[in-house]
Amino acid sequence: MSAPDSEADAALKEFVADEAGMRIDQWLAVRVGPELSRSRIQALIRDGNVTVNGTAMREAKRKLSTGDRIAIIMPEPEPAEPEGEDIALDILYEDDDLIVINKQAGLVVHPGAGNWTGTLVNALIHHCGDTLSGIGGVRRPGIVHRLDKDTSGVLVVAKNDKTHRALSEAFADHGRTGDLERAYDALVWGSPSRATGTIDAPLGRSGTDRTQRAVVRETREDARHAVTHFTVLDRFGEKQDATAMASLVECRLETGRTHQIRVHMAHIGHPLIGDRDYGKAFFTKANRLGEPLGNAVRAFPRQALHARLLAFRHPSSGEILRFEAPHPADLSELLAEFRRWSDAGKT
């Protein structure tokens, strides 16, 4: 399958079929599956936005012939101007160039499908007015990096384009040549066999749920290099063979892929407690904990992940800024329950 025509319009994707007999919706799902869902592809076909050899093709079942030229016309998204909303923010630092937030769990960073209001962007627009950087686009003003909805912790937002560019470059480099430092605390099931380690495993879209990620072969088209370094900070219910029921692990990212820590820890057999996407198979482990810890684990509403530390060089002053956010109440309480259980020797 050929690559998109580099001279095509930005809203136009063009391909040439190099095989015959496959349905056009199936062929496109293979070619652009990481970008568009099967249902979205079929909707584009129904609406006449897919052409074969210059003719609109409205039948998803139409089979391709070798050499057919396929084009997808991507309609412009409807403009969505987020409005400011008076949402409380835990501000760790603010100046004319940037603002650093301790994001609470449950807060979506920017508007998107199913979350057009009540996001961090809505809160920032209310707080900052028109001072946010426009580089991120109308739906992502000022956003340099993101945290999952149910991940808490430190996040920096740019107020002007100069700061946005500088911070974006630092995050793209992930501190390899600069001064960026990020550390996350994760409460995971079990305990890695080594106190420190590195997970080097490429990530791509999951084959069963396109909203999720999975470790994939390097040769896959959507594979993205991903490296996580971890250090075990504490073990709960540790046994003589050095295994444990759960562990508090610090994770530092060498790359920043979607759901990276969650997928990588699950990949090595230690999914995050509370992770309903990547740790479902471990949920029954709570039954082995007794009460009240078992109930606390079952009731924990999110993945136990907190962006504890963020340090970076200020784009204007050149000063190294370093911010740490303590564990939020829900995670602190869960850790306290694990420590009480572990100290009581209930393994």
Side-chain angles (χ1 to χ4, degrees):
M1 302 175 189
S2 73
D5 185 348
S6 60
E7 296 180 358
D9 187 276
L12 179 69
K13 297 179 181 293
E14 294 184 340
F15 313 92
V16 177
D18 59 359
E19 54 190 334
M22 184 177 284
R23 287 173 43 148
I24 186 170
D25 61 337
Q26 295 173 337
W27 189 91
L28 285 172
V30 173
R31 182 62 186 85
V32 296
E35 302 174 36
L36 300 174
S37 67
R38 181 81 169 270
S39 59
R40 176 62 172 148
I41 290 169
Q42 291 174 338
L44 288 169
I45 292 172
R46 287 194 303 271
D47 293 338
N49 289 312
V50 176
T51 65
V52 178
N53 300 324
T55 301
M57 180 53 56
R58 297 178 183 270
E59 293 183 9
K61 296 187 292 185
R62 198 266 201 195
K63 293 185 178 180
L64 294 172
S65 299
T66 303
D68 279 347
R69 298 190 65 84
I70 303 100
I72 305 176
I73 302 168
M74 298 296 295
E76 288 294 323
E78 295 182 5
E81 293 276 358
E83 296 183 356
E85 297 178 43
D86 189 3
I87 300 170
L89 293 173
D90 183 0
I91 300 172
L92 302 180
Y93 175 85
E94 183 175 11
D95 62 22
D96 292 339
D97 295 310
L98 53 87
I99 181 171
V100 180
I101 304 293
N102 179 19
K103 187 187 86 67
Q104 63 264 41
L107 182 64
V108 175
V109 170
H110 56 77
N115 294 285
W116 295 110
T117 61
T119 72
L120 176 62
V121 163
N122 297 109
L124 289 168
I125 290 172
H126 179 272
H127 177 79
C128 302
D130 298 328
T131 63
L132 293 177
S133 168
I135 289 181
V138 67
R139 295 177 186 173
R140 301 172 57 111
I143 301 302
V144 176
H145 65 123
R146 62 184 292 273
L147 298 175
D148 290 343
K149 173 185 176 182
D150 289 326
T151 298
S152 55
V154 188
L155 183 145
V156 61
V157 176
K159 284 188 173 183
N160 54 61
D161 291 352
K162 173 188 172 184
T163 301
H164 200 295
R165 290 189 183 93
L167 290 176
S168 294
E169 290 174 2
F171 275 89
D173 183 65
H174 297 288
R176 287 187 290 268
T177 60
D179 300 294
L180 182 73
E181 183 182 3
R182 288 187 290 172
Y184 296 73
D185 286 353
L187 179 59
V188 305
W189 286 112
S191 183
S193 58
R194 294 177 297 165
T196 62
T198 296
I199 307 166
D200 186 345
L203 301 182
R205 287 197 183 274
S206 167
T208 57
D209 185 337
R210 69 183 306 271
T211 67
Q212 297 180 17
R213 297 299 187 271
V215 171
V216 300
R217 298 187 306 274
E218 289 183 4
T219 54
R220 226 175 76 170
E221 186 176 1
D222 69 328
R224 298 293 181 268
H225 181 56
V227 178
T228 302
H229 305 284
F230 68 83
T231 301
V232 178
L233 302 178
D234 203 354
R235 291 184 171 90
F236 309 109
E238 189 171 12
K239 300 179 181 179
Q240 290 184 347
D241 61 0
T243 62
M245 179 60 74
S247 303
L248 180 63
V249 177
E250 179 189 85
C251 295
R252 292 180 179 252
L253 302 180
E254 190 173 313
T255 57
R257 308 302 179 192
T258 300
H259 299 175
Q260 179 174 318
I261 292 173
R262 298 165 63 191
V263 178
H264 270 176
M265 294 310 296
H267 177 63
I268 64 171
H270 304 291
L272 274 62
I273 287 175
D275 194 331
R276 286 158 176 73
D277 292 325
Y278 304 107
K280 290 180 182 177
F282 284 68
F283 271 28
T284 57
K285 280 185 173 288
N287 299 333
R288 298 168 54 188
L289 300 173
E291 304 307 335
L293 179 56
N295 264 343
V297 170
R298 284 186 289 269
F300 199 73
R302 64 183 183 97
Q303 66 268 6
L305 183 63
H306 177 65
R308 175 176 50 83
L309 168 68
L310 176 64
F312 56 90
R313 185 176 296 278
H314 194 291
S316 295
S317 70
E319 178 186 1
I320 298 295
L321 301 181
R322 186 181 182 89
F323 303 96
E324 289 199 54
H327 294 156
D330 63 345
L331 183 55
S332 291
E333 291 166 6
L334 185 60
L335 285 167
E337 288 289 355
F338 264 104
R339 290 190 177 103
R340 282 191 287 268
W341 173 84
S342 186
D343 291 342
K346 297 178 181 179
T347 56

